[in-house]
């Protein structure tokens, strides 16, 4: 490894060298193997050097590394997803994939590569992606005659074949999805999960005979995305429609779930469900013969969520002790830690830990015990807090005597003694409670950031206070451009996040905060990731 | 689509233009919408133009396309996996992934890209892959200062981090796996599933304190690969060890499951489980402190199976009517087809089809009905035979009257009438029987190709007869090279497939068929994919 980090960061031509977070402190193993003399120190020393409230960016980089979700990779903007984060991805997939299969969407796999000719077919679309496209130009020592692009998304990869497969109305709807990696060679501020050059996602691509069917599916998928955020990741989101300026390049309209990071005062697009209209169908000639024997054009959607979900969850729930994982996505929901004292029945305590884990596993709870003999209980507490395990169970001599365990919540730190007889029921209740509490707390914080404004002065003030701003807007593209220009600063300009589906009342005569023209709708505004 | 196929094939500089199979015949929809005048023709016209026994290569290309597994893509050597094949991949994954999780192997995801410095660290290894590596040299309009490779496999991507993560004996074993795509820009004869420039696979990478643990895991994984082939794909394989010449570049030894394609007389490596020894550990400095406080080096394995599995299955079971899918991997195990006659109770027949499907679904059997009204039953039979569905159920007026269904096996064509009361039990039996029969027939055919030889003349004769040759061998690398040189022909040279674990007796004094030196073992030889 020696030297590779530096080498490659320098090799990235146009890339800003990426901030490498400090190496996580290696756990300091205690002396072991000394038999009787085994000494258990109450060392901790696992803490984060940055605080969430003071140094958010550094805190985030540190917590994803120390929590063992991410390892920084020697190519800037690429990250290693370690098992601790991969398991979360898999749990979300285990929810989403069966849900879309119920909707008769089928999985497939299209190639990673796309030829220039095809990529450039839809002009608006390629303009949106062109600067970020990675190009393969060589194989082995030979130059390819024509460079081949790596997919930044697969509309242009797939739709020539939709054109081939769709002939008659009976071929519709065509509903495909793929789980894959995509590459967007961005240079601005790479951040693990949130903005990386390669990421994992699912991308759904569907074609319908009617706009109504397409519209319906857009919202069905968006609801699944809301459930991923709110039910799994315990992150509150706003469902809404993107502005013309912020919609998907080449599409008709874009809906999204928008999350908010109170610490930075930034909105973040959580996942998007696009209605592409007939624009791609026109470019790729996706026509069919309808029931009347006439030539017609399909209506298309595309929709995706990515590993960004995990980053949003970390940003929302993490604290100065480390990650905080919602029970529904934690690969370890309960960590059981033996707390032996000098003269205690050590074997009895270890046996009780094993029995507890087995009881929980049988009940479908993801539990593990940490029986390592070279770390103190205190050190273990810190490590599992860093990794964000929702519930810790401690078993010491007193617990053994009282036929109970001590449960400690990661979210609140609350300690609860539970009798062995009630264990499974109580632990289940606690996990449900933690899941709900994480959502409630996050929603409370998010809601406290929402500020309704009516004037430009109020807008600027709220922006400086890192608010998620709800403002009456005339819905004109030029006005959004103007707001962007007027708020341009070091930390990025303000823009629309979305126009929420859940619209407050808009009294007659309300004017746009930015243009003074009659307001057409309420929109969320703010800086964003 | 117009023109893109031709464009891109020509664009591939060094690539031989790939043979594009003939377009599958589009089903010819019947006149519909004519209400009463709906006429049901007994047209078929879905057949394959090539025969498996006469024109194997063309038959294969045609059957994967007409069976809707593959669509040829406009970049040579890349293929679209359609839902019909993707479902098979997912079913195998649903078996393999939980099995390795039981072995405490965890999933992760490492980047697609690898820097040149790291890629070249293990010389033998990179020599094996260098000519096939695809290089990214540009992003958008800018040149990267240093080209970045796309992983052909991930040893060199991962092991710098193994070096970082592994410090003490308690960090071992480290057992990771990833499901991903890899790219090998090969120019020789691309074939869907079998040899493609991008393919899907899992790759496991594990590190142990002792060689014994590594050796044990190599065989545990190989047994899972055998089960995928034999229990899921119904394809008989030989477990064995690769020769020094054929082992994984940079590894210590390679084990594999080897399948055989009787029609071409070629062996095909089904999946490999490598013991890497300590070679990569040395290059990447993967050291740890052992129990005694001494510095030690890990022992490593890597193992993979890919979408090639699907191609082997197609080659082994397919016939002149199309694909033949083993029930365990078929996404549709039973297709139910209504067979209404002119004056029959059409509604009753359709209702019986729906009821049958529901009954089967409830019993966990993957069933579907084909109620399309614009195709004749005969045309539907042909289409589902092309797609390889294991069992067809026909329901006509007579069946309705007799409270029965007619089941038709894809493998044997046998027709069986089953009373409604016994339906679930009998269908389950039939599916098990088909699964077993496919394996038995394939094994019988494969075994009939195995020929034991002792002399060079026998070897050459057997090779010409497309046999899978079992021969006594001196196990010397130079001799294998010599055999390769002496058998070099248009269709490739002969090489070792593997030395089977199940060794016949080797009587004292047996000599090598090629060198005349004392034989050390029996090995399988042949041409291969």
């Amino acid at each position: 490894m020696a030297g590779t980090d530096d080498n490659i960061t320098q090799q990235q031509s146009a890339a800003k060298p990426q901030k490498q977070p400090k190496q996580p402190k290696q756990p300091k193993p205690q002396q072991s193997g000394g038999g009787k003399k085994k000494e258990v120190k109450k060392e901790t020393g696992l803490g984060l050097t940055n605080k969430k409230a003071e140094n958010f960016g550094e805190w985030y980089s540190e917590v994803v590394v120390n929590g063992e979700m991410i390892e920084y990779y020697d190519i800037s903007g690429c990250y290693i997803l370690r098992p601790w984060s991969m398991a979360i991805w898999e749990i979300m997939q285990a929810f989403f994939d069966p849900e879309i299969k119920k909707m008769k969407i089928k999985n497939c796999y299209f190639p990673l590569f796309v030829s220039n000719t095809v990529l450039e077919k839809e002009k608006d679309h390629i303009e949106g992606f062109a600067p970020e496209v990675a190009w393969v130009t060589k194989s082995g020592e030979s130059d390819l005659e024509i460079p081949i692009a790596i997919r930044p998304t697969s509309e242009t990869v797939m739709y020539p074949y939709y054109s081939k497969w769709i002939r008659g109305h009976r071929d519709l709807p065509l509903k495909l999805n793929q789980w894959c990696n995509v590459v967007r060679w961005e240079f601005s501020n790479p951040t693990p999960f949130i903005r990386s050059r390669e990421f994992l996602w699912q991308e759904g691509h569907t074609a319908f005979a009617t706009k109504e069917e397409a519209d319906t599916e857009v919202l069905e998928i968006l609801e699944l995305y809301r459930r991923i955020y709110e039910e799994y990741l315990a992150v509150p989101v706003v469902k809404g429609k993107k502005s013309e300026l912020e919609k998907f390049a080449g599409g008709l309209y874009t809906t999204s779930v928008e999350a908010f990071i109170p610490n930075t005062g930034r909105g973040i697009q959580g996942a998007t469900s696009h209605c592409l209209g007939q624009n791609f169908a026109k470019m790729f000639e996706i026509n069919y013969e309808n029931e009347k024997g006439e030539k017609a054009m399909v209506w298309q959607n595309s929709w995706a969520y990515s590993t960004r979900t995990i980053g949003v969850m970390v940003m929302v729930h993490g604290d100065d002790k480390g990650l905080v994982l919602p029970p529904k996505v934690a690969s370890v929901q309960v960590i059981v830690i033996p707390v032996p004292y000098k003269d205690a029945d050590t074997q009895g305590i270890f046996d009780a830990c094993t029995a507890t884990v087995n009881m929980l596993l049988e009940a479908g709870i993801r539990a593990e015990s940490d029986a390592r003999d070279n770390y103190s209980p205190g050190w273990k507490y810190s490590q599992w807090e860093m990794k964000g395990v929702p519930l810790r169970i401690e078993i010491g001599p007193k617990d053994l005597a009282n036929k109970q365990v001590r449960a400690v919540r990661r979210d609140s730190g609350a300690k609860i003694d539970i009798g062995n007889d009630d264990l499974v029921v109580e632990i289940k209740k606690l996990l449900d409670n933690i899941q709900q509490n994480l959502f409630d707390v996050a929603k409370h914080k998010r809601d406290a950031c929402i500020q309704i404004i009516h004037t430009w002065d109020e807008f600027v003030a709220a922006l400086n206070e890192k608010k998620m701003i709800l403002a009456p807007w005339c819905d004109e593209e030029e006005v959004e451009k103007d707001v962007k220009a007027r708020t341009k600063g070091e930390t990025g300009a303000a823009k629309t996040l979305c126009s929420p589906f859940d619209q407050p009342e808009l009294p007659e005569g309300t004017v746009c905060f930015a243009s003074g023209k009659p307001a057409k709708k309420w929109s969320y505004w703010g800086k964003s990731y």
Side-chain angles (χ1 to χ4, degrees), chain A residues 47-201:
Chain A
L48 296 167
T49 57
N50 294 287
K51 298 232 176 292
K52 189 178 185 184
E54 292 168 10
N55 225 349
F56 185 80
E58 287 75 8
W59 168 84
Y60 178 75
S61 297
E62 200 183 1
V63 79
V64 291
V65 171
N66 286 20
E68 297 183 358
M69 282 194 156
I70 282 285
E71 183 74 65
Y72 276 67
Y73 189 64
D74 74 345
I75 294 175
S76 172
C78 295
Y79 306 96
I80 298 162
L81 303 189
R82 300 185 70 177
W84 200 244
S85 55
M86 200 60 200
I88 296 173
W89 184 243
E90 290 182 315
I91 289 167
M92 291 189 287
Q93 192 172 18
F95 159 70
F96 189 79
D97 198 67
E99 286 294 327
I100 60 173
K101 279 179 174 147
K102 280 185 218 161
M103 292 169 68
K104 298 192 185 299
I105 293 157
K106 289 181 175 174
N107 284 335
C108 63
Y109 187 76
F110 278 73
L112 175 68
F113 299 117
V114 54
S115 69
N116 198 18
T117 338
V118 176
L119 187 65
E120 286 185 345
K121 206 140 189 177
E122 209 299 305
K123 295 294 172 201
D124 290 338
H125 180 67
I126 186 58
E127 262 182 36
F129 288 102
E132 302 171 359
V133 170
W135 293 94
V136 176
T137 63
K138 280 177 65 178
S139 73
E141 295 291 311
S142 346
D143 289 338
L144 300 186
E145 216 168 273
I146 299 282
I148 291 174
I150 301 181
R151 61 178 166 221
T153 176
S154 299
E155 279 75 8
T156 57
V157 173
M158 293 180 163
Y159 299 165
Y161 300 91
Y162 280 47
S163 165
K164 184 173 180 180
W165 296 332
I166 297 169
R167 298 294 166 98
H169 60 93
R170 286 192 182 78
D171 300 323
L172 294 174
L174 177 61
K175 306 205 267 189
L176 300 180
N177 175 68
Q178 65 183 14
W179 297 92
C180 64
N181 54 346
V182 287
V183 171
R184 296 179 186 175
W185 208 262
E186 304 194 61
F187 294 109
S188 64
N189 201 24
T191 306
F193 298 120
I194 301 295
R195 189 174 292 278
S196 56
R197 285 179 170 171
E198 182 196 4
F199 56 86
L200 301 182
W201 74 352

Side-chain angles (χ1 to χ4, degrees), chain A residues 406-476:
Chain A
R406 163 155 289 192
V408 183
R409 289 172 64 142
R410 176 65 181 89
D411 59 336
S412 65
K415 295 173 182 180
I416 311 104
D417 291 331
I418 302 172
N420 289 345
D421 293 343
D422 308 324
L423 193 71
V424 166
V425 174
E426 290 303 316
I427 296 291
K428 276 192 176 171
K429 263 194 223 164
L430 270 175
L431 291 173
D432 287 348
N433 197 287
I434 293 169
Q435 182 80 29
Q436 186 61 46
N437 183 54
L438 283 174
F439 180 78
D440 292 345
V441 168
K443 187 164 186 308
H444 185 77
K445 279 190 196 158
R446 195 274 317 264
D447 288 350
C449 292
I450 294 175
Q451 185 149 340
I452 296 178
I453 64 101
H454 285 86
T455 68
W456 180 257
D457 288 349
E458 287 173 2
F459 179 78
V460 173
L463 201 61
N464 288 336
E465 286 165 21
K466 298 184 177 177
K467 298 293 187 184
M468 185 175 178
I469 301 166
L470 189 57
W473 181 38
C474 62
D475 198 14
E476 287 179 17

Side-chain angles (χ1 to χ4, degrees), chain A residues 295-425:
Chain A
K295 190 176 146 183
M297 199 171 271
V298 302
W299 291 86
Q300 291 180 275
N301 293 339
S302 73
W303 30 269
Y305 80 92
S306 75
T307 36
R308 166 177 276 199
T309 44
I310 301 172
V312 175
M313 178 207 76
V314 171
M315 288 185 165
V316 166
H317 301 305
D319 64 22
D320 290 343
K321 289 181 174 177
L323 300 170
V324 179
L325 303 185
K328 280 188 89 164
V329 294
S331 59
V332 178
Q333 297 172 310
V334 179
I335 186 72
V336 179
I337 297 176
V339 191
Y341 288 131
K342 255 183 190 165
D343 305 317
D345 172 10
T346 306
Q347 191 55 49
I349 288 171
F350 276 80
D351 290 348
C353 287
T354 308
T356 303
V357 167
N358 289 340
M359 203 189 302
L360 295 175
L361 286 175
E362 265 168 46
I365 296 165
R366 298 187 287 269
E368 255 181 36
S369 77
D370 182 350
R372 291 176 293 178
D373 61 358
N374 60 323
Y375 296 108
S376 68
W379 192 92
K380 290 178 186 175
Y381 298 170
S382 297
Q383 194 189 25
W384 292 107
E385 280 171 355
M386 179 65 75
K387 296 189 72 160
V389 169
L391 204 56
R392 171 172 89 231
I393 286 183
E394 308 169 2
I395 303 182
K398 204 188 89 190
D399 303 302
L400 204 61
N402 294 346
K403 295 188 176 163
Q404 65 174 34
V405 303
R406 163 155 289 192
V408 183
R409 289 172 64 142
R410 176 65 181 89
D411 59 336
S412 65
K415 295 173 182 180
I416 311 104
D417 291 331
I418 302 172
N420 289 345
D421 293 343
D422 308 324
L423 193 71
V424 166
V425 174

Side-chain angles (χ1 to χ4, degrees), chain A residues 31-46:
Chain A
Q31 297 295 335
S32 72
K36 236 181 157 184
K37 287 186 67 182
K38 201 176 288 173
E39 202 184 327
V40 177
K41 289 182 200 155
K42 286 204 180 156
E43 55 182 331
T44 48
L46 246 186

